[in-house]
Amino acid sequence: MESKQDIIAVLGLGSSGMAAAQLALKHGARVFVWDESNSGCLEERAAQLRAQGATVELGVNSLPHTRMDLIIISPGIAPKSILGKFASQAGCEVLSELEYGWSFMQEIPTIGVTGTNGKTTTTELCSHILNENGIPTCASGNIGYPVSSLALESRRFPVNLFEVSSFQLERIKNFRPRIALLTNITPDHLERYPAMEDYFLTKLEIFS
């Protein structure tokens, strides 16, 4: 993906949002970051990004009015939140951090693991098996190491291994793992999805 000269909004300044903002800055984008929360940790991240040229606003309580070319939405941003509504009304492409980070490494074979329970254990087991057999990889994604952080590194693994949540799959476009694993699906996150079927279909996006 080419980010140069794009105006990119990153919604959420958790670890995923931080990594996505740094990746966008690295590739020459003009970056805006918004988060509805405010804390000491977020202030530290905001200061770091501002020093790199980003515009960062914390404690957002109303819809931003800035025109964007692309929005990168963190998995923790709920559709009904202020920033979730902004994403749906902005009139530009909206991608998950998973999609954005992966787009810079899509030539690398990818294994994606999703499910309600057991996906972390399965991802860590796959990582152990691959590394023990001379195929270096790093368990990334929902497991705590953002995909965009992996894309920031100069080192490239021969295989990428991602734990993937339903939240991350909501805004994929071209993300296609070479191998996709589904551990199971049981009722979960129904405060976010209208019905169990919606949650189920979102998980199945990993096979699309």
Side-chain angles (χ1 to χ4, degrees):
M1 175 177 288
E2 180 62 52
S3 294
K4 192 172 182 180
Q5 297 180 342
D6 282 347
I7 303 174
I8 294 180
V10 176
L11 307 185
L13 193 48
S15 57
S16 293
M18 181 68 176
Q22 290 176 318
L23 184 58
L25 288 166
K26 176 182 177 181
H27 287 273
R30 183 182 176 195
V31 178
F32 291 79
V33 182
W34 291 299
D35 196 300
E36 294 176 44
S37 301
N38 200 340
S39 67
C41 176
L42 292 180
E43 288 287 359
E44 290 179 8
R45 290 175 179 170
Q48 185 176 345
L49 289 176
R50 287 174 185 137
Q52 296 173 34
T55 299
V56 184
E57 183 178 350
L58 303 178
V60 172
N61 55 21
S62 61
L63 292 176
H65 296 286
T66 305
R67 183 192 66 80
M68 295 293 155
D69 297 311
L70 172 68
I71 291 174
I72 304 166
I73 189 165
S74 300
I77 303 297
K80 294 182 180 179
S81 67
I82 292 170
L83 293 178
K85 291 177 181 177
F86 170 70
S88 65
Q89 299 172 13
C92 67
E93 187 171 46
V94 181
L95 300 178
S96 67
E97 180 272 329
L98 165 73
E99 173 78 32
Y100 185 68
W102 172 83
S103 70
F104 292 94
M105 305 178 291
Q106 55 186 296
E107 74 284 356
I108 299 173
T110 299
I111 301 171
V113 181
T114 195
T116 304
N117 304 297
K119 58 184 178 293
T120 298
T121 302
T122 303
T123 304
E124 290 178 337
L125 177 61
C126 289
S127 176
H128 177 75
I129 292 170
L130 288 167
N131 280 291
E132 287 296 307
N133 283 276
I135 306 173
T137 190
C138 173
S140 312
N142 192 56
I143 206 165
Y145 191 72
V147 173
S148 293
S149 290
L150 198 63
L152 279 165
E153 297 182 3
S154 56
R155 178 187 182 188
R156 289 287 187 263
F157 292 104
V159 174
N160 282 332
L161 175 61
F162 301 151
E163 178 188 316
V164 183
S165 71
S166 61
F167 297 171
Q168 292 171 309
L169 290 168
E170 289 173 0
R171 294 284 190 172
I172 61 170
K173 180 183 179 183
N174 298 312
F175 176 67
R176 301 292 182 269
R178 183 76 60 86
I179 298 171
L181 306 177
L182 174 66
T183 59
N184 59 50
I185 298 181
T186 58
D188 199 13
H189 302 303
L190 296 184
E191 76 288 345
R192 179 152 171 158
Y193 298 101
M196 179 63 184
E197 182 180 5
D198 298 283
Y199 174 59
F200 176 73
L201 291 174
T202 304
K203 285 288 190 186
L204 292 186
E205 284 295 315
I206 198 170
F207 299 114
S208 62

